[in-house]
Amino acid sequence: MIQAFGLTSIPRKGLAAAAVDDVSFDARAGRVTALLGAPGAGKTTLLRLMLELEQGRGITRFRGRPLHRIAHPSREVGVLLGDVPGHPARTVRGHLRMLCAAAGVPVRRADEVLEVVGLVGLREERLGTLSHGMDRRLGLACALLCDPHTLVLDEPTARLAARESGWLHATLRAHVTQGGTVLFSTSDAKEAARTADRVVTLDGGRLVADQDAVDFARTRLRPRVAVRSPHAARLAALLTKEARAARRSVEVVREQGNRLSVYGSTCADVGDTAFRHGILVHQLAHETGDMGLGTHLPQETPTASAAREPEFGSGPEPAPGPPGKSPSAALLTGAVTPGGDTDSTPTEVLPAASPAVAHTPAARTSTLSPIPARNPALAPNTAPAPTLVSGSALPPPISVRSAPGPLRPLRYELRRTCGTGTGFLVVAVALAVSVVTAVIAARIGHTPQPRLLAAWPRELPLPAAALGAGLVGALAFGDEFRHPALAADRGTVPRRLGLLTAKLVVASAVALAVAVLAVGCDAAALYLFYGRELAGVPADWLPMGASWAGFVAGCACAGVLAAGLFRSTTAGLAAVVAVPVLVVPLLERGLSGPEMRTAAGFPARLREVLLLQWPFGGDRYVVAAARVVAQPVATALTLSLATLAAAYVCTTLRGRLR
């Protein structure tokens, strides 16, 4: 159940009024609620306020708890806002499996929801190649992935064909049949009356109606003539009789008390009928549905093909349908010949709910929709055509773990990194540039042999391997903000320390692999072109190797931290390049003054301070590590990493305090 209380958005700069002003309503479990309004009425802003994606006043409770108090929001609320956020080069199945790792649900769940939404044959397709209809199916699969109780969808049927819209609404109906809650926005009044159980109407950011679908269809969907008379039953019978005789599309609905609502007529016609038969009329006025501009209302025409409800006074009134059932007789207009036959001329009227999407439980268990059968033998290899399905349209519930595992962010990051070829391409280009640089530098000369192995001439601020590792690290968060697959239900990538740790671990592992491969490729190229002299192993290879590996891994971590802090891949790469270009010169200038003391004699003082001798000559390794850290580039990189990490942690804590 959804309970919204006093939702009010903050007016944007230059606008006097807020997009949403003091809206309160309920969306109950087991029912489909439509949020209806013309474009610009504030539907999207209201949904974003409910999901805490925009700042404003008011509160929304999902089964009694606000969203920020729910430990795992994606397991409580499934969201579809716009197109599916994800890297266009990622496959459909890979995208869902990545979300499974992020949410902590079994990986098999991805195949289950793919079968439900009819994308089994497209599981290896890239997100960038999907049509709009297939993208909507994938978005619904993402929303259903964690078996949420509540579904919130913004214009889910926009630009969809009628068949796709029917399939989507049938799936939503199956969800509420199992006890869930569905809230979707639409600008089509006919769609809201046909598919929803309750309609919440917005106009200009304000709530103007909150009604059942039956009441909405009768009172707000179509223009009507409101009549109040002490002889309402007699007048209704006369109006119906004259409409049949004249073969006009007129519908008369008896409201509470002595009120009538006449559809398809005018005040003049109703007044003439009342005057000719001497019927007293207390009220006679035109009323139109105040749905706002741009709402598509059904138009009345002189003829109709559907049967009308029986004439008042000629028989018992039809019993109201069950809650949530779209009104059939109340929404149909028609003209009946004196003999009782209906005219066959077609007209644009609001259709009754078809058996394919009827709101009765029996129709939900056997519905005409393109959802594939649960039997694997019936699963097609391509996008399925409409077929009759038996059983529930949704996958079985899953067992959700109560607490996240410590390796869950790491599994997500591994799937995210390996799901696209961008990282592999960056590594391949970095290795190729490193080999070319090493060969050219050896040809020119004046470059020491250790620097040749790293392809780092003195003229270059950074070697190609370090730049590649930094770009891989920057993409770890930069791609996340550009294609926020992890933030499908929150609107932005969360700054969590667990997620940061996973990204740092994966980026460092990739950087170490790049460092080793770069040295190996450079040594092989130098041996091939110039012989064994330039490809030999240096005498002090251990400290130099540790320094090289730490430097490359530090560049990757700097890229991750900067991209996560500034939410940009460019900012992450700029932070990596800024270390040798800006930080190192500033550090050297600050440490080169006459007042600065040197660290000469550090190894001897280290041995004097330690009372016991290091086993296996461990003091040599400590001295080597100190020399590595004392290098200007290493010191500058350490300072940069410390600054970026502190800024990231402060930003994370500030967000949690808010």
Side-chain angles (χ1 to χ4, degrees):
M1 178 178 178
I2 305 176
Q3 297 171 303
F5 304 100
L7 294 179
T8 304
S9 63
I10 298 177
R12 295 182 180 179
K13 187 176 181 180
L15 298 178
V20 175
D21 186 9
D22 194 19
V23 176
S24 301
F25 68 96
D26 294 341
R28 299 188 178 275
R31 307 187 72 183
V32 177
T33 303
L35 186 61
L36 179 64
K43 304 186 298 297
T44 301
T45 303
L46 179 61
L47 294 181
R48 293 181 64 85
L49 285 172
M50 295 173 60
L51 298 172
E52 300 179 4
L53 301 180
E54 286 192 12
Q55 295 184 358
R57 296 187 296 273
I59 190 171
T60 303
R61 298 184 183 275
F62 298 88
R63 290 203 288 181
R65 295 176 297 171
L67 200 61
H68 63 272
R69 296 292 185 184
I70 301 176
H72 307 289
S74 60
R75 300 177 183 176
E76 177 66 29
V77 184
V79 180
L80 176 58
L81 302 177
D83 296 333
V84 177
H87 199 290
R90 202 178 303 277
T91 63
V92 171
R93 189 185 185 194
H95 181 77
L96 290 176
R97 290 168 69 91
M98 180 184 66
L99 295 183
C100 287
V105 299
V107 178
R108 66 177 183 274
R109 182 69 175 181
D111 297 325
E112 292 177 357
V113 294
L114 279 177
E115 184 179 354
V116 168
V117 301
L119 292 179
V120 175
L122 302 178
R123 59 181 177 269
E124 299 302 329
E125 293 292 326
R126 307 290 178 179
L127 298 186
T129 63
L130 296 179
S131 63
H132 181 70
M134 297 300 103
D135 183 86
R136 283 293 174 179
R137 288 178 179 244
L138 178 59
L140 188 59
C142 296
L144 295 172
L145 193 63
C146 299
D147 191 30
H149 175 271
T150 304
L151 293 180
V152 178
L153 307 97
D154 185 20
E155 298 278 0
T157 59
R159 296 184 288 123
L160 284 184
R163 191 177 83 171
E164 291 287 338
S165 299
W167 169 85
L168 190 143
H169 284 298
T171 306
L172 299 183
R173 180 58 56 183
H175 183 78
V176 300
T177 303
Q178 298 181 0
T181 305
V182 172
L183 173 65
F184 74 94
S185 65
T186 181
S187 58
D188 190 347
K190 294 191 293 184
E191 178 188 13
R194 184 172 59 249
T195 60
D197 303 322
R198 192 164 188 85
V199 181
V200 178
T201 307
L202 288 182
D203 187 12
R206 292 180 175 271
L207 181 69
V208 296
D210 187 355
Q211 305 168 288
D212 287 335
V214 177
D215 297 334
F216 165 78
R218 288 184 174 180
T219 60
R220 303 183 67 84
L221 185 60
R222 294 175 292 164
R224 65 193 179 277
V225 177
V227 184
R228 182 182 299 173
S229 171
H231 309 286
R234 181 185 170 202
L235 179 58
L238 291 172
L239 291 173
T240 304
K241 183 177 180 180
E242 291 184 359
R244 286 180 175 178
R247 299 175 61 86
R248 291 189 297 112
S249 175
V250 175
E251 179 188 358
V252 182
V253 178
R254 182 75 177 272
E255 305 290 350
Q256 295 180 354
N258 57 357
R259 297 184 54 132
L260 297 176
S261 292
V262 183
Y263 299 94
S265 185
T266 62
C267 287
D269 293 338
V270 176
D272 289 344
T273 302
F275 178 78
R276 286 196 307 269
H277 296 84
I279 298 177
L280 178 64
V281 176
H282 291 165
Q283 180 188 8
L284 187 64
H286 281 293
E287 292 184 359
T288 58
D290 50 350
M291 302 302 302
L293 298 177
T295 304
H296 305 288
L297 300 177
Q299 302 295 327
E300 299 292 348
T301 56
T303 58
S305 60
R308 297 177 53 206
E309 60 182 0
E311 178 180 341
F312 283 96
S314 61
E317 293 185 10
K325 178 175 173 61
S326 298
S328 57
L331 298 182
L332 295 176
T333 59
V336 183
T337 61
D341 297 330
T342 58
D343 191 8
S344 60
T345 306
T347 182
E348 182 185 1
V349 296
L350 185 64
S354 63
V357 292
H359 295 185
T360 60
R364 292 178 210 144
T365 57
S366 179
T367 177
L368 184 64
S369 76
I371 303 174
R374 302 291 300 174
N375 187 356
L378 300 179
N381 295 326
T382 59
T387 181
L388 190 62
V389 181
S390 299
S392 174
L394 295 179
I398 58 175
S399 57
V400 179
R401 291 194 288 267
S402 58
L407 298 180
R408 192 185 74 178
L410 186 60
R411 287 195 296 267
Y412 161 77
E413 183 60 22
L414 287 174
R415 291 190 180 277
R416 189 207 63 80
T417 303
C418 301
T420 60
T422 305
F424 299 100
L425 180 62
V426 170
V427 171
V429 172
L431 294 178
V433 174
S434 179
V435 169
V436 173
T437 304
V439 172
I440 295 177
R443 179 69 175 177
I444 296 175
H446 309 293
T447 300
Q449 191 259 348
R451 279 185 168 264
L452 285 179
L453 293 178
W456 193 4
R458 298 186 184 277
E459 293 78 13
L460 295 180
L462 281 176
L467 279 175
L471 182 55
V472 169
L475 288 173
F477 259 125
D479 269 353
E480 200 76 271
F481 287 104
R482 187 179 179 187
H483 309 289
L486 188 61
D489 58 339
R490 302 295 295 163
T492 183
V493 178
R495 286 194 174 101
R496 299 194 184 110
L497 297 182
L499 180 63
L500 174 65
T501 303
K503 291 184 178 295
L504 290 176
V505 170
V506 174
S508 299
V510 174
L512 292 177
V514 171
V516 174
L517 290 175
V519 172
C521 293
D522 294 343
L526 292 174
Y527 175 78
L528 181 63
F529 281 92
Y530 305 108
R532 191 179 301 274
E533 180 182 359
L534 296 179
V537 179
D540 52 349
W541 63 271
L542 184 59
M544 296 185 65
S547 176
W548 169 245
F551 175 67
V552 177
C555 289
C557 294
V560 172
L561 290 170
L565 183 63
F566 300 105
R567 300 185 176 185
S568 171
T569 303
T570 305
L573 189 59
V576 175
V577 178
V579 171
V581 175
L582 296 178
V583 183
V584 170
L586 292 177
L587 190 64
E588 289 179 342
R589 181 176 299 179
L591 297 178
S592 62
E595 67 280 0
M596 298 300 298
R597 298 181 180 272
T598 63
F602 174 75
R605 292 193 297 271
L606 180 64
R607 295 188 183 94
E608 294 176 359
V609 170
L610 297 176
L611 299 179
L612 299 177
Q613 294 293 328
W614 289 69
F616 306 106
D619 55 341
R620 294 181 300 173
Y621 299 104
V622 176
V623 172
R627 289 177 179 175
V628 169
V629 176
Q631 295 177 1
V633 177
T635 305
L637 185 58
T638 303
L639 291 176
S640 300
L641 288 175
T643 303
L644 291 173
Y648 188 94
V649 171
C650 291
T651 305
T652 304
L653 296 179
R654 184 183 64 179
R656 291 186 177 181
L657 291 177
R658 285 182 178 178

